[in-house]
């Protein structure tokens, strides 16, 4: 696994890479930094300075009325970039936006990189806590 440290001490860990669905946004796709359609989706795990899971950056798809949105992420150089594209189903127009989530990433040595098992344990803990919070809100 590849990982980077942020200037404020957080750790960003690269997770799975897979093919980006070519049906996302139909013919509009998600545009990358060179203006070409992205073909891979990647997941990144952000850990705080204590090693706790803070955020998962993964490809997401959402919609609001006639607008479909898709966002995916890439580490390029020393920054984590977000690429969002949207398509208006009624007009056929698409929009593309690029954001930078982190800058100043420095690669971690393999010995400093959290293991895949550690990431899976953090994800399992997060899922368990979500389930417990959700169960507490269910009518009795």
């Amino acid at each position: 696994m590849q990982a980077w440290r942020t200037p404020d001490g957080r750790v960003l860990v690269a997770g799975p890479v897979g093919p980006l669905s070519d049906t996302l946004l139909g013919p509009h796709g998600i545009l990358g930094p060179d203006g070409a359609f992205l073909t891979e989706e990647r997941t990144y795990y952000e850990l705080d300075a204590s090693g706790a899971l803070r955020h998962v950056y993964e490809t997401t798809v959402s919609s609001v009325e006639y607008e479909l949105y898709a966002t995916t992420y890439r580490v390029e150089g020393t920054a984590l970039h977000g690429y969002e594209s949207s398509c208006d189903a009624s007009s056929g127009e698409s929009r593309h936006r690029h954001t930078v989530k982190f800058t100043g990433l420095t690669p971690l040595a393999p010995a400093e990189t959290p293991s895949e098992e550690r990431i899976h344990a953090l994800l399992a803990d997060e899922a368990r806590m979500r389930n417990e919070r959700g169960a507490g809100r269910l009518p009795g």
Side-chain angles (χ1 to χ4, degrees):
M1 295 182 87
Q2 191 173 10
W4 303 264
R5 187 167 314 281
T6 67
D8 63 356
R10 291 175 285 164
V11 171
L12 188 67
V13 181
V17 176
L20 186 63
S21 171
D22 59 0
T23 60
L24 281 178
L25 304 176
H28 303 276
I30 300 176
L31 294 182
D34 59 0
F37 291 117
L38 296 174
T39 59
E40 292 180 333
E41 63 178 277
R42 300 175 185 183
T43 301
Y44 298 92
Y45 306 104
E46 177 189 351
L47 311 181
D48 65 19
S50 70
L53 183 65
R54 181 177 170 139
H55 190 79
V56 177
Y57 293 92
E58 60 189 340
T59 300
T60 58
V61 178
S62 61
S63 64
V64 177
E65 294 186 14
Y66 297 103
E67 191 93 16
L68 180 63
Y69 299 88
T71 304
T72 195
Y73 301 91
R74 299 281 185 283
V75 168
E76 297 167 7
T78 62
L80 176 65
H81 298 261
Y83 296 97
E84 179 183 289
S85 293
S86 63
C87 174
D88 184 309
S90 60
S91 71
E93 291 181 29
S94 61
R95 288 181 293 289
H96 306 280
R97 189 174 73 146
H98 167 244
T99 58
V100 176
K101 301 296 181 183
F102 298 117
T103 59
L105 296 174
T106 56
L108 288 179
E112 297 178 277
T113 299
S115 68
E116 191 172 337
E117 292 79 17
R118 174 74 179 137
I119 298 298
H120 287 295
L122 291 170
L123 292 169
D125 287 347
E126 177 68 23
R128 181 186 47 76
M129 289 189 312
R130 262 196 325 267
N131 287 337
E132 288 174 359
R133 285 191 304 263
R137 288 193 293 249
L138 294 176

